[in-house]
Amino acid sequence: MSTFSIFLVLITIVCFLLIVVIMVQNPKGGGLSSTISGTQMLGGVQKTTDFLDKSTWTLATILIALILLSSLSFTGSLSDTDSKIIDKSEVPAAGTPAAPAQQTPAPATPAAK
C-alpha cells in the first residue's frame, strides 16, 4: 500500500467525521445542544456547543494538512510525461522534412527580337 493510498484513507475518514460533526450542529439551537437537558452530560449545553465548534475547526485543519501532505507524497506515476499524445506531437521523424523547401524562380530573361 503506497503512502498516497494511506493518505487517501485518512482523508476519507476525516471527511466522514467532519460531515457527522457538522450535521450534529444546528445554527438555530435545535441540534445536539438542545436535546441535552441538564448539566450532567458533557458539562451542559454551552460546553457541548464549544466542543462541537472546536472539533469542527480541528477536523478541518487536519483535513487541509492531510491534503497538503498527500500532494507531497504523490509520486507522479500517472503524470503526463508518458502520454502518447505528447510523443506524437513532438518532432517529426528524421525522414520527413519539417517544412517544404521554398523554390525561387529563375530570373526572367528579356525576349529577343
XYZ file of all heavy atoms in Angstrom:
816
model
N 0.845 -1.173 0.000
C 0.000 0.000 0.000
C 0.895 1.243 0.000
O 1.761 1.385 0.846
C -0.895 -0.032 1.236
C -2.115 0.786 1.130
S -3.195 0.391 2.524
C -4.539 1.411 2.117
N 0.692 2.123 -0.950
C 1.537 3.307 -1.058
C 1.120 4.366 -0.043
O 0.044 4.306 0.553
C 1.442 3.874 -2.468
O 0.156 4.415 -2.680
N 1.993 5.331 0.135
C 1.690 6.395 1.094
C 0.514 7.236 0.619
O -0.259 7.742 1.438
C 2.917 7.296 1.318
O 3.354 7.794 0.054
C 4.042 6.540 1.983
N 0.385 7.371 -0.692
C -0.762 8.123 -1.210
C -2.071 7.420 -0.865
O -3.054 8.073 -0.513
C -0.633 8.308 -2.718
C -1.703 9.182 -3.307
C -1.682 10.547 -3.091
C -2.731 8.646 -4.054
C -2.666 11.368 -3.608
C -3.715 9.450 -4.584
C -3.681 10.817 -4.362
N -2.093 6.103 -0.911
C -3.296 5.348 -0.549
C -3.612 5.498 0.934
O -4.787 5.588 1.318
C -3.122 3.871 -0.893
O -2.927 3.713 -2.269
N -2.586 5.532 1.748
C -2.801 5.725 3.183
C -3.400 7.102 3.444
O -4.345 7.248 4.218
C -1.477 5.525 3.955
C -1.042 4.066 3.851
C -1.617 5.943 5.410
C 0.349 3.797 4.375
N -2.842 8.122 2.778
C -3.401 9.470 2.919
C -4.835 9.519 2.428
O -5.681 10.202 3.006
C -2.558 10.493 2.168
C -1.355 10.960 2.933
C -0.092 10.742 2.445
C -1.493 11.624 4.141
C 1.021 11.176 3.135
C -0.394 12.060 4.847
C 0.871 11.833 4.342
N -5.141 8.806 1.356
C -6.498 8.792 0.812
C -7.490 8.196 1.807
O -8.587 8.727 1.991
C -6.519 8.019 -0.501
C -7.750 8.143 -1.357
C -7.951 9.588 -1.797
C -7.623 7.257 -2.575
N -7.096 7.131 2.491
C -7.959 6.516 3.508
C -8.150 7.470 4.683
O -9.275 7.652 5.179
C -7.363 5.161 3.966
C -8.092 4.636 5.195
C -7.425 4.147 2.843
N -7.063 8.107 5.129
C -7.170 9.045 6.246
C -8.036 10.253 5.893
O -8.836 10.720 6.709
C -5.778 9.509 6.683
C -4.909 8.467 7.381
C -3.517 9.015 7.621
C -5.549 8.024 8.681
N -7.898 10.760 4.674
C -8.722 11.888 4.232
C -10.194 11.501 4.213
O -11.064 12.272 4.620
C -8.241 12.392 2.857
C -6.908 13.115 2.995
C -9.268 13.303 2.209
C -6.241 13.438 1.677
N -10.484 10.291 3.764
C -11.876 9.820 3.728
C -12.460 9.720 5.132
O -13.604 10.123 5.372
C -11.948 8.453 3.021
O -11.353 8.561 1.733
C -13.377 7.982 2.877
N -11.688 9.209 6.083
C -12.170 9.082 7.465
C -12.414 10.461 8.068
O -13.454 10.699 8.704
C -11.165 8.268 8.303
C -11.157 6.808 7.842
C -11.492 8.357 9.791
C -10.051 5.975 8.442
N -11.481 11.394 7.855
C -11.643 12.737 8.414
C -12.840 13.439 7.783
O -13.592 14.139 8.464
C -10.338 13.551 8.240
C -10.552 15.004 8.584
C -9.242 12.964 9.109
N -13.047 13.243 6.485
C -14.216 13.843 5.823
C -15.509 13.309 6.404
O -16.458 14.070 6.642
C -14.176 13.570 4.315
S -13.001 14.581 3.428
N -15.567 12.003 6.643
C -16.768 11.419 7.228
C -17.024 11.981 8.626
O -18.154 12.350 8.966
C -16.635 9.890 7.279
C -17.796 9.212 7.935
C -19.011 9.109 7.281
C -17.690 8.709 9.221
C -20.097 8.499 7.890
C -18.767 8.099 9.836
C -19.970 7.991 9.178
N -15.964 12.075 9.447
C -16.130 12.629 10.794
C -16.548 14.092 10.751
O -17.373 14.537 11.553
C -14.828 12.476 11.580
C -14.436 11.059 11.977
C -13.059 11.046 12.620
C -15.470 10.457 12.905
N -16.000 14.846 9.806
C -16.360 16.254 9.676
C -17.825 16.406 9.267
O -18.535 17.272 9.784
C -15.439 16.927 8.656
C -15.501 18.436 8.533
C -15.148 19.091 9.862
C -14.563 18.910 7.448
N -18.296 15.552 8.392
C -19.710 15.591 7.995
C -20.604 15.291 9.189
O -21.621 15.968 9.406
C -19.968 14.597 6.835
C -19.325 15.118 5.558
C -21.458 14.366 6.640
C -19.325 14.111 4.424
N -20.226 14.293 9.985
C -21.034 13.928 11.154
C -21.078 15.083 12.150
O -22.158 15.440 12.658
C -20.494 12.639 11.815
C -21.121 12.409 13.176
C -20.722 11.446 10.909
N -19.940 15.706 12.424
C -19.900 16.798 13.402
C -20.708 17.992 12.900
O -21.433 18.629 13.670
C -18.432 17.195 13.692
C -18.356 18.493 14.467
C -17.736 16.093 14.468
N -20.617 18.287 11.619
C -21.381 19.417 11.077
C -22.881 19.129 11.087
O -23.691 20.003 11.388
C -20.882 19.771 9.665
C -19.488 20.389 9.756
C -21.831 20.719 8.955
C -18.819 20.626 8.428
N -23.266 17.898 10.785
C -24.689 17.560 10.769
C -25.293 17.561 12.174
O -26.487 17.796 12.331
C -24.901 16.188 10.116
C -24.578 16.173 8.639
S -25.561 17.311 7.672
C -27.101 16.457 7.656
N -24.490 17.310 13.196
C -24.993 17.327 14.568
C -25.317 18.753 14.999
O -26.251 18.998 15.753
C -23.962 16.663 15.515
C -24.276 16.957 16.956
C -23.925 15.171 15.277
N -24.554 19.707 14.482
C -24.771 21.105 14.840
C -26.017 21.642 14.153
O -26.382 21.211 13.078
C -23.571 21.957 14.438
C -22.310 21.595 15.148
C -21.135 22.406 14.656
O -21.280 23.333 13.875
N -19.955 22.044 15.123
N -26.642 22.607 14.802
C -27.778 23.296 14.211
C -27.625 24.772 14.540
O -27.607 25.139 15.709
C -29.099 22.746 14.754
C -30.291 23.277 13.994
O -30.161 24.118 13.108
N -31.461 22.776 14.342
N -27.556 25.625 13.542
C -27.322 27.037 13.833
C -28.471 27.710 14.580
O -28.297 28.737 15.188
C -27.122 27.662 12.464
C -27.769 26.735 11.513
C -27.640 25.373 12.114
N -29.647 27.131 14.550
C -30.801 27.723 15.228
C -30.930 27.241 16.668
O -31.894 27.555 17.341
C -32.081 27.377 14.464
C -32.107 27.951 13.066
C -33.336 27.526 12.333
C -33.292 28.032 10.899
N -34.385 27.520 10.102
N -29.983 26.446 17.122
C -30.025 25.986 18.506
C -30.860 24.733 18.698
O -31.167 24.379 19.820
N -31.194 24.037 17.636
C -32.015 22.849 17.778
C -31.263 21.566 17.534
O -31.860 20.523 17.353
N -29.930 21.609 17.520
C -29.128 20.420 17.267
C -28.941 19.584 18.506
O -29.826 19.467 19.354
N -27.774 19.028 18.654
C -27.463 18.192 19.805
C -27.515 18.999 21.097
O -27.875 18.479 22.143
C -26.068 17.571 19.628
C -25.591 16.620 20.717
C -26.477 15.382 20.746
C -24.158 16.239 20.510
N -27.226 20.279 21.012
C -27.222 21.127 22.206
C -28.601 21.198 22.851
O -28.730 21.245 24.070
C -26.769 22.541 21.846
O -25.503 22.507 21.252
N -29.641 21.239 22.067
C -30.979 21.374 22.638
C -31.537 20.055 23.137
O -32.442 20.051 23.960
C -31.930 21.964 21.594
O -32.114 21.040 20.547
N -30.999 18.944 22.674
C -31.522 17.656 23.130
C -30.948 17.249 24.472
O -31.482 16.363 25.123
C -31.221 16.559 22.093
O -29.812 16.465 21.903
C -31.892 16.847 20.776
N -29.853 17.872 24.875
C -29.258 17.557 26.178
C -29.926 18.442 27.223
O -29.798 19.650 27.195
C -27.734 17.794 26.156
C -27.083 16.870 25.144
C -27.140 17.601 27.538
C -25.615 17.111 24.951
N -30.645 17.798 28.102
C -31.338 18.573 29.143
C -30.603 18.383 30.462
O -30.500 17.286 30.972
C -32.785 18.110 29.266
O -32.827 16.728 29.552
N -30.088 19.453 30.966
C -29.373 19.366 32.237
C -27.878 19.521 32.023
O -27.377 19.533 30.917
N -27.190 19.630 33.122
C -25.751 19.841 33.065
C -24.975 18.560 33.322
O -23.773 18.605 33.498
C -25.351 20.908 34.103
O -25.747 20.453 35.389
C -25.970 22.249 33.792
N -25.629 17.424 33.354
C -24.946 16.176 33.639
C -24.104 15.701 32.455
O -23.035 15.158 32.637
C -25.945 15.069 34.001
C -26.741 15.318 35.244
C -28.032 16.068 34.929
O -28.189 16.637 33.857
N -28.932 16.075 35.888
N -24.604 15.876 31.254
C -23.945 15.317 30.076
C -23.028 16.356 29.430
O -23.466 17.431 29.063
C -24.977 14.839 29.058
C -25.929 13.806 29.619
S -27.132 13.314 28.421
C -26.281 11.997 27.637
N -21.752 16.021 29.312
C -20.743 16.842 28.643
C -20.635 18.242 29.211
O -20.195 19.152 28.535
C -21.011 16.920 27.134
C -20.870 15.635 26.329
C -21.272 15.880 24.884
C -19.460 15.091 26.396
N -21.042 18.476 30.416
C -20.871 19.766 31.052
C -21.882 20.812 30.667
O -21.649 21.980 30.870
N -22.977 20.456 30.094
C -24.018 21.428 29.773
C -24.060 21.776 28.305
O -23.264 21.333 27.496
N -25.069 22.598 27.969
C -25.318 22.949 26.577
C -24.190 23.797 26.013
O -23.745 23.591 24.890
C -26.679 23.679 26.465
C -26.902 24.184 25.057
C -27.808 22.752 26.882
N -23.713 24.753 26.787
C -22.653 25.634 26.287
C -21.375 24.852 26.029
O -20.683 25.082 25.039
C -22.394 26.767 27.287
C -21.354 27.766 26.814
C -21.773 28.467 25.532
O -22.942 28.757 25.326
N -20.805 28.720 24.664
N -21.061 23.899 26.910
C -19.861 23.079 26.713
C -20.001 22.203 25.477
O -19.031 21.964 24.771
C -19.599 22.211 27.945
C -19.303 22.973 29.186
C -17.903 23.503 29.136
C -17.575 24.173 30.459
N -16.253 24.726 30.480
N -21.200 21.719 25.192
C -21.429 20.905 24.005
C -21.216 21.727 22.744
O -20.570 21.272 21.795
C -22.858 20.329 24.014
O -23.044 19.587 25.211
C -23.092 19.433 22.830
N -21.723 22.945 22.743
C -21.548 23.815 21.592
C -20.074 24.140 21.390
O -19.580 24.140 20.257
C -22.349 25.113 21.771
O -23.704 24.767 22.075
C -22.329 25.949 20.519
N -19.357 24.402 22.465
C -17.924 24.678 22.370
C -17.162 23.462 21.846
O -16.254 23.591 21.025
C -17.358 25.094 23.727
C -17.839 26.463 24.166
O -18.330 27.231 23.300
O -17.735 26.763 25.373
N -17.523 22.274 22.348
C -16.868 21.053 21.895
C -17.101 20.826 20.408
O -16.169 20.484 19.666
C -17.375 19.842 22.706
C -16.913 18.538 22.157
C -15.596 18.128 22.326
C -17.789 17.714 21.444
C -15.162 16.916 21.805
C -17.362 16.507 20.924
C -16.046 16.099 21.100
N -18.336 20.994 19.935
C -18.633 20.788 18.518
C -17.922 21.829 17.648
O -17.436 21.507 16.560
C -20.145 20.834 18.281
C -20.937 19.664 18.868
C -22.429 19.900 18.688
C -20.523 18.368 18.216
N -17.848 23.050 18.139
C -17.169 24.099 17.383
C -15.670 23.815 17.282
O -15.079 23.904 16.199
C -17.406 25.448 18.061
C -16.882 26.595 17.226
O -17.078 26.563 15.993
O -16.277 27.518 17.809
N -15.047 23.441 18.388
C -13.614 23.133 18.378
C -13.309 21.889 17.557
O -12.302 21.831 16.853
C -13.106 22.960 19.810
C -13.013 24.255 20.568
C -12.512 24.026 21.970
C -12.503 25.329 22.753
N -12.063 25.137 24.133
N -14.181 20.888 17.627
C -13.937 19.673 16.849
C -14.097 19.932 15.349
O -13.383 19.341 14.542
C -14.854 18.546 17.316
O -16.208 18.900 17.116
N -14.999 20.832 14.965
C -15.149 21.188 13.557
C -13.878 21.844 13.035
O -13.366 21.480 11.968
C -16.338 22.140 13.364
O -17.521 21.506 13.843
C -16.521 22.500 11.904
N -13.359 22.811 13.773
C -12.138 23.503 13.345
C -10.937 22.561 13.348
O -10.081 22.630 12.460
C -11.871 24.716 14.222
C -12.757 25.859 13.876
C -13.822 26.330 14.579
C -12.670 26.676 12.700
N -14.398 27.390 13.922
C -13.708 27.628 12.764
C -11.817 26.693 11.604
C -13.913 28.582 11.774
C -12.025 27.649 10.614
C -13.060 28.579 10.707
N -10.871 21.669 14.341
C -9.760 20.719 14.415
C -9.788 19.757 13.233
O -8.759 19.516 12.594
C -9.804 19.937 15.736
O -9.790 20.865 16.819
C -8.637 18.991 15.859
N -10.950 19.208 12.942
C -11.062 18.274 11.817
C -10.798 18.972 10.482
O -10.177 18.384 9.583
C -12.443 17.616 11.809
C -12.674 16.562 12.889
C -14.144 16.143 12.912
C -11.790 15.359 12.658
N -11.238 20.217 10.343
C -10.980 20.950 9.098
C -9.487 21.210 8.934
O -8.943 21.089 7.826
C -11.755 22.264 9.104
N -8.799 21.534 10.017
C -7.358 21.757 9.960
C -6.615 20.470 9.617
O -5.679 20.473 8.806
C -6.856 22.315 11.305
O -7.606 23.490 11.619
C -5.384 22.635 11.259
N -7.035 19.368 10.223
C -6.423 18.072 9.929
C -6.648 17.698 8.470
O -5.743 17.179 7.799
C -6.975 16.988 10.874
C -6.484 17.230 12.303
C -6.580 15.591 10.423
C -7.147 16.353 13.341
N -7.844 17.981 7.951
C -8.150 17.665 6.558
C -7.247 18.445 5.598
O -6.690 17.879 4.653
C -9.621 17.971 6.262
C -10.096 17.704 4.839
C -10.010 16.222 4.515
C -11.505 18.204 4.659
N -7.068 19.733 5.853
C -6.205 20.548 4.991
C -4.763 20.062 5.071
O -4.075 19.956 4.038
C -6.321 22.030 5.383
C -7.707 22.553 5.001
C -5.243 22.867 4.714
C -8.013 23.931 5.521
N -4.292 19.726 6.267
C -2.926 19.223 6.421
C -2.736 17.895 5.683
O -1.706 17.688 5.020
C -2.592 19.069 7.897
N -3.713 17.009 5.786
C -3.612 15.724 5.089
C -3.607 15.901 3.577
O -2.880 15.205 2.859
C -4.760 14.797 5.510
C -4.639 14.134 6.871
C -5.923 13.381 7.210
C -3.454 13.191 6.897
N -4.395 16.829 3.077
C -4.433 17.071 1.641
C -3.093 17.602 1.156
O -2.568 17.162 0.118
C -5.590 18.019 1.287
C -6.927 17.307 1.474
C -5.464 18.531 -0.138
C -8.127 18.208 1.367
N -2.522 18.543 1.903
C -1.218 19.083 1.509
C -0.124 18.027 1.589
O 0.730 17.937 0.706
C -0.865 20.285 2.384
C -1.719 21.531 2.164
C -1.351 22.607 3.174
C -1.570 22.045 0.751
N -0.127 17.214 2.629
C 0.871 16.159 2.747
C 0.707 15.087 1.675
O 1.696 14.535 1.191
C 0.811 15.526 4.138
C 1.319 16.404 5.280
C 1.058 15.733 6.628
C 2.793 16.692 5.108
N -0.528 14.796 1.310
C -0.739 13.783 0.271
C -0.259 14.277 -1.084
O 0.225 13.491 -1.906
C -2.217 13.387 0.192
O -2.981 14.454 -0.325
N -0.374 15.571 -1.332
C 0.133 16.086 -2.608
C 1.657 16.023 -2.650
O 2.238 15.869 -3.719
C -0.350 17.515 -2.828
O 0.268 18.383 -1.916
N 2.319 16.128 -1.512
C 3.770 15.995 -1.474
C 4.212 14.548 -1.653
O 5.289 14.293 -2.183
C 4.314 16.530 -0.148
C 4.166 18.034 0.082
C 4.661 18.399 1.472
C 4.917 18.812 -0.972
N 3.385 13.606 -1.218
C 3.761 12.199 -1.315
C 3.381 11.575 -2.650
O 3.718 10.429 -2.909
C 3.090 11.400 -0.188
O 1.702 11.290 -0.437
N 2.715 12.334 -3.498
C 2.294 11.805 -4.800
C 3.526 11.609 -5.669
O 4.299 12.529 -5.897
C 1.303 12.761 -5.459
C 0.710 12.233 -6.722
C -0.094 11.117 -6.716
C 0.965 12.848 -7.933
C -0.648 10.624 -7.883
C 0.429 12.372 -9.098
C -0.382 11.251 -9.065
N 3.705 10.391 -6.177
C 4.914 10.060 -6.939
C 4.841 10.523 -8.379
O 5.857 10.631 -9.039
C 5.159 8.545 -6.923
O 4.021 7.895 -7.493
C 5.400 8.061 -5.510
N 3.659 10.748 -8.886
C 3.543 11.201 -10.262
C 3.639 10.076 -11.262
O 4.014 10.284 -12.410
N 3.332 8.844 -10.889
C 3.423 7.723 -11.820
C 2.367 7.824 -12.917
O 2.499 7.201 -13.952
C 3.264 6.404 -11.066
O 1.999 6.360 -10.431
N 1.354 8.629 -12.702
C 0.322 8.810 -13.714
C 0.438 10.180 -14.373
O -0.530 10.720 -14.866
C -1.063 8.659 -13.080
C -1.357 7.313 -12.440
C -2.703 7.335 -11.743
C -1.327 6.214 -13.475
N 1.621 10.745 -14.370
C 1.790 12.090 -14.899
C 1.735 12.082 -16.419
O 1.726 11.041 -17.062
C 3.100 12.675 -14.419
O 4.167 11.926 -14.964
N 1.762 13.279 -17.000
C 1.620 13.420 -18.443
C 2.910 13.171 -19.202
O 2.928 13.287 -20.422
C 1.098 14.818 -18.775
C -0.358 14.974 -18.405
O -0.845 14.120 -17.654
O -0.993 15.938 -18.847
N 3.990 12.845 -18.538
C 5.240 12.633 -19.257
C 5.202 11.366 -20.092
O 5.963 11.236 -21.034
C 6.425 12.559 -18.278
O 6.173 11.510 -17.346
C 6.614 13.878 -17.554
N 4.347 10.433 -19.760
C 4.240 9.190 -20.510
C 3.067 9.202 -21.481
O 2.654 8.166 -21.961
C 4.086 8.006 -19.544
C 5.293 7.862 -18.631
O 6.391 8.266 -19.047
O 5.129 7.343 -17.517
N 2.551 10.350 -21.774
C 1.384 10.449 -22.636
C 1.752 10.164 -24.084
O 2.789 10.602 -24.585
C 0.761 11.842 -22.522
O -0.301 11.959 -23.415
N 0.913 9.430 -24.767
C 1.152 9.118 -26.175
C 0.860 10.319 -27.062
O 1.419 10.458 -28.132
C 0.295 7.927 -26.596
C 0.703 6.655 -25.902
C -0.131 5.494 -26.338
C 0.314 4.244 -25.592
N -0.478 3.093 -25.921
N 0.006 11.202 -26.610
C -0.314 12.392 -27.402
C 0.901 13.299 -27.487
O 1.222 13.841 -28.537
C -1.518 13.133 -26.797
C -2.758 12.244 -26.867
C -1.751 14.446 -27.505
C -3.944 12.800 -26.151
N 1.607 13.443 -26.381
C 2.800 14.284 -26.381
C 3.868 13.669 -27.271
O 4.558 14.364 -28.005
C 3.317 14.490 -24.943
C 2.307 15.322 -24.159
C 4.672 15.169 -24.934
C 2.649 15.483 -22.702
N 4.010 12.332 -27.231
C 5.012 11.682 -28.070
C 4.727 11.892 -29.546
O 5.642 12.074 -30.341
C 5.056 10.184 -27.764
C 5.615 9.910 -26.369
O 6.296 10.803 -25.821
O 5.376 8.813 -25.849
N 3.482 11.871 -29.947
C 3.122 12.039 -31.353
C 3.293 13.478 -31.817
O 3.607 13.727 -32.972
C 1.677 11.612 -31.589
C 1.469 10.126 -31.507
C 0.017 9.791 -31.761
C -0.222 8.305 -31.604
N -1.636 7.969 -31.755
N 3.089 14.437 -30.946
C 3.115 15.827 -31.375
C 4.494 16.461 -31.276
O 4.652 17.625 -31.572
C 2.117 16.645 -30.552
O 2.551 16.658 -29.200
N 5.500 15.699 -30.860
C 6.844 16.255 -30.762
C 7.464 16.382 -32.146
O 6.781 16.574 -33.130
C 7.696 15.373 -29.841
C 7.341 15.536 -28.382
C 8.217 14.701 -27.487
O 9.102 13.993 -28.004
O 8.000 14.737 -26.274
N 8.749 16.252 -32.267
C 9.472 16.432 -33.522
C 9.089 15.314 -34.494
O 9.053 14.146 -34.124
C 10.994 16.401 -33.246
C 11.774 16.586 -34.528
C 11.349 17.437 -32.212
N 8.820 15.651 -35.773
C 8.503 14.601 -36.742
C 9.722 13.726 -37.006
O 10.846 14.086 -36.674
C 8.072 15.367 -37.993
C 8.551 16.755 -37.795
C 8.701 16.977 -36.329
N 9.500 12.614 -37.650
C 10.571 11.655 -37.919
C 11.646 12.291 -38.790
O 11.415 13.247 -39.520
C 9.999 10.419 -38.592
N 12.868 11.730 -38.741
C 14.007 12.312 -39.453
C 13.831 12.239 -40.970
O 14.377 13.057 -41.697
C 15.286 11.596 -39.044
N 13.087 11.280 -41.499
C 12.928 11.113 -42.938
C 12.000 12.139 -43.569
O 12.097 12.431 -44.757
N 11.111 12.722 -42.809
C 10.182 13.694 -43.382
C 10.641 15.097 -43.042
O 11.023 15.377 -41.917
C 8.757 13.478 -42.826
O 8.811 13.617 -41.410
C 8.228 12.119 -43.203
N 10.637 16.000 -44.018
C 11.066 17.371 -43.722
C 10.017 18.087 -42.872
O 8.833 17.811 -42.970
C 11.207 18.020 -45.103
C 10.299 17.211 -45.977
C 10.318 15.809 -45.424
N 10.481 19.004 -42.064
C 9.587 19.737 -41.186
C 8.726 20.709 -41.976
O 7.563 20.890 -41.693
C 10.376 20.481 -40.112
N 9.308 21.375 -43.000
C 8.566 22.324 -43.829
C 9.030 22.166 -45.275
O 10.202 21.872 -45.517
C 8.806 23.746 -43.347
N 8.134 22.340 -46.239
C 8.574 22.203 -47.641
C 9.560 23.312 -47.995
O 9.446 24.439 -47.536
C 7.279 22.320 -48.436
C 6.322 23.001 -47.523
C 6.740 22.639 -46.125
N 10.531 22.958 -48.823
C 11.548 23.932 -49.223
C 10.953 24.950 -50.186
O 10.171 24.606 -51.070
C 12.720 23.213 -49.875
N 11.353 26.189 -50.039
C 10.877 27.259 -50.921
C 11.724 27.244 -52.208
O 12.945 27.226 -52.150
C 11.028 28.623 -50.229
C 10.178 28.775 -49.002
C 8.792 29.274 -49.344
O 8.567 29.817 -50.416
N 7.858 29.067 -48.445
N 11.080 27.228 -53.354
C 11.798 27.268 -54.630
C 11.715 28.684 -55.168
O 10.629 29.236 -55.311
C 11.196 26.283 -55.624
C 11.396 24.845 -55.209
C 10.852 23.886 -56.249
O 10.283 24.307 -57.264
N 11.048 22.607 -56.021
N 12.868 29.251 -55.450
C 12.887 30.606 -56.000
C 12.884 30.518 -57.524
O 13.614 29.714 -58.111
C 14.133 31.375 -55.524
O 15.302 30.641 -55.910
C 14.118 31.549 -54.017
N 12.066 31.322 -58.167
C 12.039 31.258 -59.640
C 13.313 31.860 -60.239
O 13.946 32.739 -59.662
C 10.804 32.094 -60.015
C 10.588 32.993 -58.835
C 11.111 32.261 -57.633
N 13.682 31.356 -61.442
C 14.872 31.864 -62.142
C 14.584 33.276 -62.648
O 13.456 33.607 -62.987
C 15.211 30.948 -63.316
N 15.622 34.129 -62.713
C 15.374 35.485 -63.195
C 14.922 35.468 -64.652
O 15.419 34.696 -65.469
C 16.714 36.184 -63.016
C 17.719 35.111 -62.799
C 16.984 33.910 -62.327
N 14.005 36.307 -64.957
C 13.464 36.350 -66.320
C 14.463 36.999 -67.249
O 15.076 38.026 -66.932
C 12.146 37.130 -66.312
N 14.596 36.413 -68.463
C 15.484 36.995 -69.488
C 14.639 37.761 -70.479
O 13.522 37.333 -70.819
C 16.276 35.884 -70.213
O 15.357 34.959 -70.763
C 17.217 35.185 -69.259
N 15.123 38.890 -70.979
C 14.308 39.640 -71.938
C 14.160 38.881 -73.252
O 15.070 38.173 -73.685
C 15.081 40.948 -72.149
C 16.439 40.720 -71.554
C 16.353 39.551 -70.641
N 13.050 38.995 -73.863
C 12.761 38.286 -75.109
C 13.587 38.922 -76.251
O 13.672 40.114 -76.377
C 11.289 38.359 -75.433
N 14.171 38.059 -77.095
C 14.975 38.558 -78.227
C 14.057 38.849 -79.388
O 13.169 38.093 -79.722
C 16.022 37.517 -78.616
N 14.360 39.959 -80.145
C 13.532 40.330 -81.294
C 14.219 40.092 -82.566
O 15.253 40.031 -82.928
C 13.124 41.788 -81.232
C 12.157 42.019 -80.140
C 11.672 43.438 -80.226
C 10.746 43.729 -79.123
N 10.200 44.983 -79.159
